[in-house]
Each structure stands twice: as structure tokens, then as C-alpha cells.
């Protein structure tokens, strides 16, 4: 009897472990698996097209600007906040640079001015959230609206064009056949990954995001750490916005606004990769990859854009749900 | 406690002063309104080049006539527009100018205006006569579609058997109408609609990038499957043009509508952007201002409530002599 009692226990133990490992794999690898499944699906649908070099380059070019803005958003989400103003900030920064160039300001100076505008928006967000203790949602929602209005003023509601040809190299240049935005995206991702992974500042960001009170008691200046995260997100948005203007050859009053939602979605998707459920650059890149592959693949197989939007929304819901469930589990 | 009481009293005093200031200014305006012709102008499309310049032009011309014009705008948010204009009606206006309204989404303000017996003059308020407006001056969508499809036909050397992508935006009633007319004209001419159906841009503000992706991805999958791209407005047409240029193709042509300055520059390059249609909104504003002026002076309403005007095709043949307004 004892034998019969103990036998099932010994046989079920590996099964439980197996189940645990499958479950763990699902939680931690689900997003990567989703990306692989999407790539496999679109490859099966259009085997001659989807995995071609040209299309891979296409996808990378299409997600390059989103990558830059999303890695900036990652930093803010590492400290446990989020920035709703990244899209309008990108629009305003790009429009400022474009407007100055059209007015005769030299390209480098105009770009620096655009970057300063983005940084300034980030600084304002940082002050509101870190020092005035406003909710990140309320503060960045307010700056999103204000900055969106400023973008209308900067563009006079119209399309700005006529920037110097040399400026277009940033967004349209193709050294070695690779679009320039891809280089910028790779650089931004590597720099922020290095900062988050190997510097004291990166560890402080994670410490504040993990438990701000414990971080404070450990000697971390929580306010400055959060402030810097918003400043970085502002700067990243400005870089993305300026590249977007160069890529399109024009600046309009809302050209970068959509990037906010996509950037948040990408970071949420990426948060499911780490066991801790924290935002991380690697995960964000996977999230950006999913969004890019979805958009490109659905266009290639001819799916209606309305359905594309529904599917993107469903993916965001799935990602947020996964993150929430994972947070509860941990 | 004493400090709190002082703060409370201070806030109360400040609020009272602010309210006094507000009420004083409101009463001043009300007194002025007895003599001044008050106009509430609105548009949900102030974020578009045509919308902004047209409404700014109206405000400038109205104020030059001595009217008190208040402009209400939003970014395609009709809930805000309905609320703003309805409260303006409550406060008292003499006439309303609807700039590029979607007639399907302005019922609350239309009902409020009807109840207050205030006439609504409209610019580009639909594609058919609408009793909600005492006049609606708009461009004939059939003509815009015919001009652009004709230009595309000329560029491609005929329509029969050609693959044409159609890019539209259904939430905008004018673009939706001309896009559907163009699609039917293309089909009737024997062209195939690339991808089987019209591509829908989700957000006009980001339409250049959206159209760039549509055409880039389509060409990636169907390098030999595209001869032309018909686009309902220039901003998106620019994205399509860029995709064709980046693909290194010189045998695919694009048409748009609006004749924006940046589009006109592209047409001048003799590249993929073949033609666009100029809509003279300045003359439309003049006509509506004239109608409103007649109403102010004599109470006369326009004899027709739906006036269609025609656009001008800008292509390689006349682009050098054309000065864009937008």
C-alpha cells in the first residue's frame, strides 16, 4: 500500500517539474515565441517575399524610429513610470529643427535646437513627476497635450518642407545599402542597454523601479534618478522625431504622435521576457520586432488596415495581461 | 487653523474677484453683441493645411467686415466641437460658420442652432444638399475624381489592365466620396485595384508615413504589380511617391488632391508624382463671407443651399505657372 502510495508521487514529480518548466517557458519566452510564430506564419504565407533581404531591411527601416523612441520609454518604465508625451515630443522636436532649417539656420545648429526642445520636454516631465510628485500619467498627459499644441504652432498647422538636401542623409541615406535610421536605432539601443546593464545609473534606475523606498534608504537619490529617466526619454523622442522629419522630407503637426502608443506597447511586450517583469532593452526590441513584423506581414498579405489596428490592440491587451499576471505570480 | 482660514478666505476672495472679472467681461461682450454681428466658426480639421488656412482666412475677412468671430477648433473631436458651439449658441451668436464639417457628426449643434433660429453657413460640408445648412459651398467630388483618374490614365498610358492602388480615408466624407468615385472610374476603365480593395489610412496626421509603408510593402511583395497610385489627398500621395522613388522605379505614377506646395515641388521634378488638384478655398471663403454679409445686412439667405465649384488639375503642363496657396 505504501508502495502504491509512493509510486505515483515519484512519477508525478517530473511531470510537475515539466509543467512548471513549460509554464515558466510560456511566461518568459512567450513574447519571443510569438515573434517566431509571426515570422513563421508570414514566411509560410509569402515564402518568396517575407524573409528576403529586401524585406528584412524594409522591416528594420520601418521600426528604426520606433526603436529609438521605445528604448527611451523603456528607461522611464524601468523606474516604474511612463511617458505619454513621447509622440508629441517627437513631432515638436522634429518640427522645431525643420522650421529652423527652413529659416536658414545651419543644419547642425537646428538639430541641436530640436534635441534641446525634446530634452526640455523631458526635463519638465521629470520636474513634475520626480520633484513635484505628480502622477506620471497626469503629468505626461498634460505635457502631451501642451506639446501637441506647440507642434501645431511650430508648423502653423501645415506641412513644413524645403529643408536642405544634406539633412535628408540622416533619414534617407543608405551607406552600404542599409538605411541610416537603422544605424541610429542600433546605436540608441546599444547605448541604453549598456547604461542600464553596466553603469551605476542603470542600477539605480532598476533599484528605484523595484522599490523606491528601499532605494532611498540605500542612498539612492530617487528624485534625481527618476528625473534623469524622463530627460533621457525626452532626448530619445527628439532623436526619433528629427530622424522622422529627415526620413519623410517634411514635418507636419502630428507626424510622430502615433509613436507613443506603439512605444508603450513595445515596452509592455518586452516586460514579459524577464522573470522579474521589469522593462528591459532586449525585451523592448522584441516588442518592437513584433509590431514591425505584424505591420509589414499584414500589409504584404493584404490585410485591411482596420483589422491590423484591431490585431495590434489585441496584442497590447495580451502583453499587458501577461505582465499583470506575471506580476501577481511573482 | 488661523492659517487655514486665511488661506480659505484668500482663495474665496480670489475666486470672487475672478468671477467678477469674468462676469464683467461677459456683460461687456453681451452689450457689444447688440451692435456687433457675432459669428461662431468651427472646424474639426484645423490640423490640416487646408482646414487651417481656410478658417484663418474666414476669420480675417469676417473681422475686416467688423464681425466678432470666435473660432472653435479640435483635432477631429466632434464631441468637443458640439459642446463648444452649443454653448456659444446659448451665449448668443448671429450666425455659424461650419468649416469642413462631417454632417454625420454635428447633429447636437445643428439642433441647438435650429432651436435658436441661427443659420449655419458651411464650407465643404458634404457631397449633397443638406437642409442643416443655409448654404454649403464645396468642390464637386465627381470632378476631382475624374480629373485625377484622367491624369493617372494619361501618365500610365491607359487604364485597361493596369494595377492601381487606391488610398483613402473613410472618416473624411469628402475623401471617402472621391475615393469611391475614383475606384469606380478606375474599375470601369479596366484597371485592377491593387490588393483587391482600397487602402485606408488610419490617421490623416501620419498619412505620409502610412502611405509610404503601404506602397513599400506592396512593392516588396508585388514588384511588377503596380502601375499607379491614386491618393485622396497630397500628404499621403507624398508618402506613396517616396516609396516609389526609394524602390528606384520610374514607371509608377501617383496623383493627389490639394496641390500643396511640397506636392507641387514633386510634380515639377517630372518624377512619380504626376498631378494634383488645386481647390481654391480663398474664393469659396469669399463666396460664403458674401452670403453671410448679405444675411447680416438684409436678413437674406442664399437662394441655393448647395453650391458645387470646380477644381483645377495641376500637372506637368501647367505646374511651372502655378503658385501654391498651401
Amino acid at each position: 500500500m505504501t508502495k502504491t502510495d509512493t509510486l505515483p508521487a515519484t512519477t508525478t514529480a517530473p511531470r510537475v517539474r515539466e509543467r512548471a518548466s513549460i509554464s515558466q517557458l510560456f511566461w518568459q519566452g512567450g513574447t519571443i515565441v510569438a515573434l517566431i510564430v509571426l515570422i513563421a506564419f508570414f514566411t509560410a504565407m509569402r515564402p518568396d517575399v517575407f524573409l528576403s533581404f529586401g524585406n528584412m531591411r524594409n522591416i528594420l527601416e520601418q521600426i528604426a524610429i520606433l526603436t529609438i523612441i521605445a528604448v527611451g520609454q523603456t528607461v522611464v518604465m524601468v523606474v516604474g513610470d511612463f511617458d505619454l508625451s513621447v509622440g508629441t515630443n517627437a513631432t515638436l522636436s522634429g518640427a522645431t529643427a525643420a522650421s529652423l532649417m527652413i529659416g536658414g539656420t545651419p543644419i547642425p545648429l537646428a538639430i541641436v535646437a530640436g534635441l534641446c526642445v525634446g530634452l526640455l520636454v523631458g526635463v519638465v516631465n521629470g520636474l513634475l513627476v520626480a520633484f513635484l510628485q505628480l502622477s506620471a500619467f497626469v503629468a505626461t498627459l498634460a505635457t502631451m497635450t501642451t506639446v501637441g499644441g506647440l507642434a501645431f504652432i511650430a508648423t502653423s498647422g501645415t506641412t513644413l518642407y524645403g529643408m536642405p538636401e544634406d539633412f535628408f542623409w540622416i533619414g534617407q541615406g543608405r551607406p552600404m545599402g542599409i538605411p541610416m535610421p537603422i544605424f541610429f536605432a542600433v546605436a540608441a539601443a546599444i547605448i541604453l542597454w549598456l547604461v542600464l546593464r553596466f553603469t551605476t545609473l542603470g542600477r539605480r534606475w532598476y533599484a528605484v523601479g523595484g522599490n523606491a523606498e528601499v532605494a532611498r534608504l540605500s542612498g539612492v537619490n530617487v528624485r534625481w534618478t527618476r528625473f534623469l529617466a524622463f530627460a533621457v526619454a525626452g532626448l530619445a523622442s527628439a532623436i526619433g522625431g528629427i530622424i522622422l522629419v529627415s526620413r519623410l522630407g517634411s514635418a507636419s503637426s502630428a507626424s510622430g504622435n502615433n509613436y507613443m502608443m506603439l512605444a508603450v506597447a513595445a515596452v509592455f511586450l518586452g516586460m514579459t521576457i524577464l522573470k522579474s517583469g521589469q522593462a528591459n532593452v532586449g525585451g523592448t526590441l522584441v516588442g518592437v520586432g513584433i509590431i514591425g513584423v505584424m505591420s509589414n506581414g499584414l500589409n504584404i498579405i493584404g490585410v485591411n488596415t482596420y483589422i491590423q489596428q484591431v490585431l495590434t490592440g489585441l496584442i497590447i491587451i495580451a502583453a499587458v495581461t501577461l505582465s499583470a499576471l506575471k506580476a501577481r505570480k511573482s | 487653523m488661523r492659517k487655514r482660514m486665511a488661506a480659505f478666505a484668500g482663495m474665496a476672495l480670489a475666486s470672487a474677484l475672478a468671477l467678477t472679472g469674468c462676469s464683467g467681461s461677459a456683460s461687456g461682450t453681451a452689450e457689444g453683441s447688440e451692435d456687433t454681428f457675432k459669428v461662431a466658426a468651427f472646424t474639426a480639421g484645423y490640423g490640416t493645411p487646408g482646414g487651417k488656412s481656410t478658417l484663418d482666412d474666414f476669420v480675417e475677412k469676417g473681422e475686416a467686415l467688423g464681425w466678432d468671430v470666435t473660432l472653435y477648433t479640435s483635432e477631429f473631436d466632434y464631441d468637443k466641437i458640439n459642446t463648444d458651439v452649443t454653448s456659444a449658441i446659448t451665449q448668443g451668436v448671429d450666425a455659424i460658420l461650419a468649416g469642413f464639417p462631417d454632417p454625420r457628426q454635428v447633429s447636437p449643434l445643428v439642433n441647438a442652432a435650429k432651436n435658436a433660429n441661427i443659420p449655419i453657413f458651411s464650407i465643404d460640408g458634404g457631397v449633397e444638399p443638406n437642409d442643416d445648412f443655409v448654404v454649403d459651398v464645396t468642390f464637386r467630388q465627381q470632378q476631382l475624381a475624374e480629373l485625377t483618374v484622367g491624369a493617372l490614365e494619361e501618365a500610365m498610358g491607359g487604364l485597361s489592365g493596369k494595377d492601381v492602388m487606391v488610398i483613402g480615408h473613410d472618416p473624411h466624407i469628402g475623401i471617402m466620396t472621391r475615393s469611391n468615385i475614383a475606384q469606380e472610374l478606375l474599375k470601369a476603365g479596366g484597371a485592377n485595384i491593387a490588393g483587391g480593395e482600397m487602402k485606408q489610412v488610419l490617421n490623416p496626421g501620419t498619412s505620409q508615413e502610412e502611405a509610404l509603408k503601404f506602397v513599400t510593402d506592396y512593392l516588396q511583395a508585388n514588384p511588377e504589380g503596380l502601375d499607379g497610385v491614386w491618393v485622396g489627398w497630397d500628404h499621403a500621395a507624398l508618402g506613396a511617391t517616396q516609396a516609389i522613388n526609394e524602390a528606384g522605379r520610374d514607371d509608377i505614377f501617383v496623383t493627389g488632391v490639394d496641390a500643396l506646395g511640397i506636392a507641387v515641388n514633386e510634380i515639377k521634378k517630372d518624377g512619380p508624382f504626376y498631378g494634383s488638384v488645386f481647390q481654391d478655398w480663398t474664393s469659396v471663403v469669399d463666396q460664403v463671407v458674401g452670403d453671410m454679409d448679405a444675411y447680416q445686412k438684409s436678413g437674406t439667405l442664399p437662394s441655393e443651399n448647395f453650391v458645387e465649384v470646380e477644381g483645377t488639375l495641376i500637372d506637368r503642363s501647367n505646374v511651372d505657372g502655378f503658385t501654391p496657396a498651401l
Side-chain angles (χ1 to χ4, degrees):
Chain A
M1 194 67 190
T2 315
K3 267 186 184 175
T4 50
D5 278 348
T6 50
L7 267 175
T10 50
T11 49
T12 50
R15 275 187 205 161
V16 171
R17 272 201 299 275
E18 197 181 325
R19 268 184 219 146
S21 63
I22 289 170
S23 155
Q24 201 172 349
L25 188 74
F26 172 72
W27 291 119
Q28 283 182 240
T31 313
I32 297 172
V33 171
L35 178 59
I36 294 167
V37 167
L38 280 173
I39 292 171
F41 173 75
F42 290 123
T43 306
M45 295 296 287
R46 291 302 302 266
D48 52 329
V49 174
F50 190 75
L51 276 184
S52 66
F53 171 73
N55 197 46
M56 287 297 107
R57 184 178 58 189
N58 232 358
I59 294 174
L60 291 175
E61 184 174 23
Q62 288 175 0
I63 60 174
I65 293 166
L66 174 60
T67 302
I68 295 166
I69 296 173
V71 291
Q73 182 75 264
T74 304
V75 176
V76 178
M77 290 176 75
V78 161
V79 297
D81 293 315
F82 50 87
D83 184 349
L84 298 179
S85 69
V86 291
T88 51
N89 191 3
T91 303
L92 177 65
S93 305
T96 304
S99 174
L100 288 171
M101 276 180 263
I102 293 164
T105 306
I107 298 171
L109 211 58
I111 291 173
V112 169
L115 294 175
C116 287
V117 167
L119 183 63
L120 184 66
V121 173
V123 163
V124 170
N125 283 330
L127 287 172
L128 293 174
V129 176
F131 290 97
L132 295 181
Q133 306 282 311
L134 298 185
S135 131
F137 178 82
V138 175
T140 61
L141 184 68
T143 47
M144 178 185 83
T145 311
T146 306
V147 170
L150 290 172
F152 275 102
I153 292 169
T155 58
S156 299
T158 187
T159 304
L160 302 179
Y161 64 98
M163 289 80 81
E165 287 287 325
D166 290 346
F167 171 65
F168 299 142
W169 178 81
I170 294 170
Q172 298 176 24
R174 292 193 170 213
M176 300 171 288
I178 308 294
M180 275 304 292
I182 297 176
F183 290 104
F184 289 114
V186 170
I190 289 175
I191 290 169
L192 283 178
W193 177 75
L194 288 172
V195 171
L196 281 167
R197 186 87 174 80
F198 296 110
T199 67
T200 312
L201 177 62
R203 280 155 204 259
R204 283 180 179 165
W205 275 333
Y206 272 116
V208 170
N211 189 322
E213 185 57 20
V214 171
R216 190 186 66 78
L217 292 171
S218 309
V220 175
N221 188 328
V222 174
R223 286 182 175 178
W224 274 106
T225 308
R226 291 176 86 190
F227 170 83
L228 281 175
F230 279 99
V232 167
L235 188 62
S237 306
I239 295 169
I242 291 167
I243 296 171
L244 179 66
V245 168
S246 172
R247 167 101 185 91
L248 298 177
S250 68
S252 67
S253 51
S255 50
N257 293 7
N258 277 1
Y259 281 108
M260 181 274 285
M261 202 60 204
L262 295 174
V264 172
V267 183
F268 267 125
L269 282 164
M271 285 165 72
T272 61
I273 284 177
L274 283 189
K275 194 177 175 185
S276 60
Q278 284 176 309
N280 62 99
V281 171
T284 298
L285 294 182
V286 174
V288 168
I290 286 179
I291 290 169
V293 164
M294 277 271 290
S295 165
N296 172 269
L298 293 173
N299 269 344
I300 280 178
I301 63 173
V303 173
N304 184 301
T305 42
Y306 295 159
I307 295 171
Q308 288 188 30
Q309 198 176 23
V310 171
L311 290 173
T312 308
L314 288 176
I315 280 193
I316 296 169
I317 292 169
V320 176
T321 310
L322 268 176
S323 294
L325 289 175
K326 202 168 171 185
R328 267 184 227 161
K329 266 175 83 84
S330 61
Chain B
M1 187 69 183
R2 199 174 282 175
K3 271 185 187 173
R4 274 191 195 168
M5 284 297 286
F8 181 75
M11 281 177 69
L13 184 63
S15 306
L17 283 171
L19 286 170
T20 312
C22 287
S23 63
S25 118
S27 103
T29 313
E31 279 166 20
S33 71
E34 284 175 16
D35 304 310
T36 311
F37 186 65
K38 287 188 76 178
V39 180
F42 74 85
T43 183
Y46 201 63
T48 62
K52 183 178 187 303
S53 66
T54 305
L55 268 292
D56 286 350
D57 189 29
F58 173 83
V59 172
E60 193 182 323
K61 285 170 179 166
E63 286 178 347
L65 288 169
W67 302 346
D68 175 4
V69 185
T70 306
L71 178 60
Y72 300 93
T73 65
S74 78
E75 201 182 348
F76 299 104
D77 179 354
Y78 277 95
D79 185 37
K80 180 180 184 302
I81 289 292
N82 278 307
T83 306
D84 288 351
V85 179
T86 304
S87 50
I89 291 167
T90 311
Q91 287 160 28
V93 292
D94 299 303
I96 294 168
L97 184 278
F100 306 91
D102 181 345
R104 301 166 295 189
Q105 298 191 64
V106 292
S107 300
L109 74 87
V110 165
N111 290 335
K114 272 184 186 163
N115 291 338
N117 205 24
I118 298 165
I120 302 178
F121 297 74
S122 170
I123 293 173
D124 199 29
V127 293
E128 57 190 3
N130 183 342
D131 290 339
D132 291 343
F133 309 132
V134 293
V135 69
D136 178 29
V137 185
T138 187
F139 283 86
R140 194 160 67 86
Q141 300 297 334
Q142 178 77 32
Q143 190 239 2
L144 301 184
E146 283 169 2
L147 282 177
T148 42
V149 170
L152 207 51
E153 181 177 8
E154 182 182 281
M156 297 187 303
L159 291 178
S160 183
K162 304 289 184 186
D163 297 304
V164 181
M165 182 183 284
V166 178
I167 299 177
H169 179 63
D170 277 357
H172 185 290
I173 194 162
I175 295 174
M176 180 189 78
T177 307
R178 63 177 172 257
S179 303
N180 283 303
I181 295 170
Q183 185 163 267
E184 291 311 311
L185 288 172
L186 288 163
K187 281 183 187 171
N192 309 309
I193 303 304
E197 62 177 6
M198 188 189 304
K199 297 277 182 191
Q200 290 288 339
V201 160
L202 296 173
N203 180 352
T206 57
S207 60
Q208 187 177 349
E209 198 181 6
E210 284 189 57
L212 171 64
K213 285 181 183 173
F214 286 160
V215 179
T216 303
D217 291 344
Y218 187 82
L219 278 177
Q220 195 67 48
N222 311 278
E224 301 307 319
L226 196 62
D227 300 294
V229 186
W230 186 95
V231 194
W233 67 109
D234 278 352
H235 210 238
L238 289 163
T241 303
Q242 192 174 352
I244 294 162
N245 280 328
E246 287 180 0
R249 300 288 294 269
D250 59 2
D251 56 341
I252 305 171
F253 298 95
V254 180
T255 59
V257 174
D258 284 337
L260 295 180
I262 186 170
V264 168
N265 278 2
E266 284 296 325
I267 296 169
K268 282 179 182 171
K269 291 177 185 170
D270 287 351
F273 207 133
Y274 194 78
S276 183
V277 177
F278 170 59
Q279 299 171 94
D280 187 359
W281 294 112
T282 306
S283 68
V284 170
V285 169
D286 288 342
Q287 186 164 345
V288 174
V289 167
D291 287 341
M292 211 177 258
D293 193 35
Y295 171 71
Q296 184 216 351
K297 285 175 178 157
S298 61
T300 314
L301 290 173
S303 54
E304 287 178 276
N305 77 338
F306 187 62
V307 180
E308 285 187 304
V309 292
E310 307 236 306
T312 308
L313 180 70
I314 305 299
D315 61 10
R316 294 173 183 183
S317 66
N318 61 356
V319 69
D320 289 329
F322 174 72
T323 306
L326 298 172

